[in-house]
Amino acid sequence: QVQLVESGGGLVQPGASLRLSCAASGRDYTAIGWFRQGPGKEREGLACIQSGHGLIYSADSVRGRFTISRDNAKNTVYLQMTSLRAEDTAVYYCASGSSDDSCSSKLVSQYEFDIWGRGTQVTVSS
């Protein structure tokens, strides 16, 4: 059974950094994406990473501040977030795609990913 578990969220001040983790089990070596959904907003794709070649795609809105990486040995994908702003407040989700083709564009479409974690809350506030 495929399972994704996010961790690392919390309450931070503006300008702080935070690293989220996504531990995957039950499905090895597949594309993983990070998404978020803020209050009253639609779910937004942030970044994704392929398993094979490690290709990365990032949305324009977070490029330069958020970095995705993975440790295949641990089957874990990370989202390093820096210079956090109040508008980054959201529930952050990771999701698994059925193949590396799920991660093939900076648009990072949620419809390309079929297994989702429950999310971790990130709140940026002073």
Side-chain angles (χ1 to χ4, degrees), residues 15-18 64-67 79-85 88:
S17 297
L18 206 58
R65 293 195 303 126
F66 292 8
T67 303
L79 185 68
Q80 179 70 47
M81 306 185 293
T82 63
S83 302
L84 285 165
R85 309 163 181 165
D88 294 319

Side-chain angles (χ1 to χ4, degrees), residues 5-72:
V5 179
E6 303 95 337
S7 62
L11 172 64
V12 297
Q13 294 186 341
S17 297
L18 206 58
R19 190 178 79 161
L20 305 182
S21 299
C22 173
S25 62
R27 177 190 271 179
D28 292 331
Y29 303 104
T30 183
I32 298 289
W34 277 102
F35 301 80
R36 69 182 177 188
Q37 188 163 15
K41 298 181 180 180
E42 296 185 353
R43 187 169 295 182
E44 175 188 11
L46 302 175
C48 63
I49 184 167
Q50 296 183 356
S51 64
H53 298 287
L55 289 177
I56 292 172
Y57 293 89
S58 299
D60 291 340
S61 60
V62 299
R63 190 174 300 128
R65 293 195 303 126
F66 292 8
T67 303
I68 190 171
S69 63
R70 72 187 298 157
D71 183 337
N72 282 341

Side-chain angles (χ1 to χ4, degrees), residues 73-114:
K74 296 181 179 180
N75 224 13
T76 299
V77 174
Y78 304 98
L79 185 68
Q80 179 70 47
M81 306 185 293
T82 63
S83 302
L84 285 165
R85 309 163 181 165
E87 53 264 40
D88 294 319
T89 295
V91 179
Y92 284 71
Y93 301 88
C94 64
S96 171
S98 58
S99 74
D100 275 349
D101 288 341
S102 301
C103 176
S104 59
S105 167
K106 68 177 182 179
L107 296 179
V108 193
S109 171
Q110 61 178 312
Y111 302 108
E112 298 294 332
F113 295 83
D114 58 345

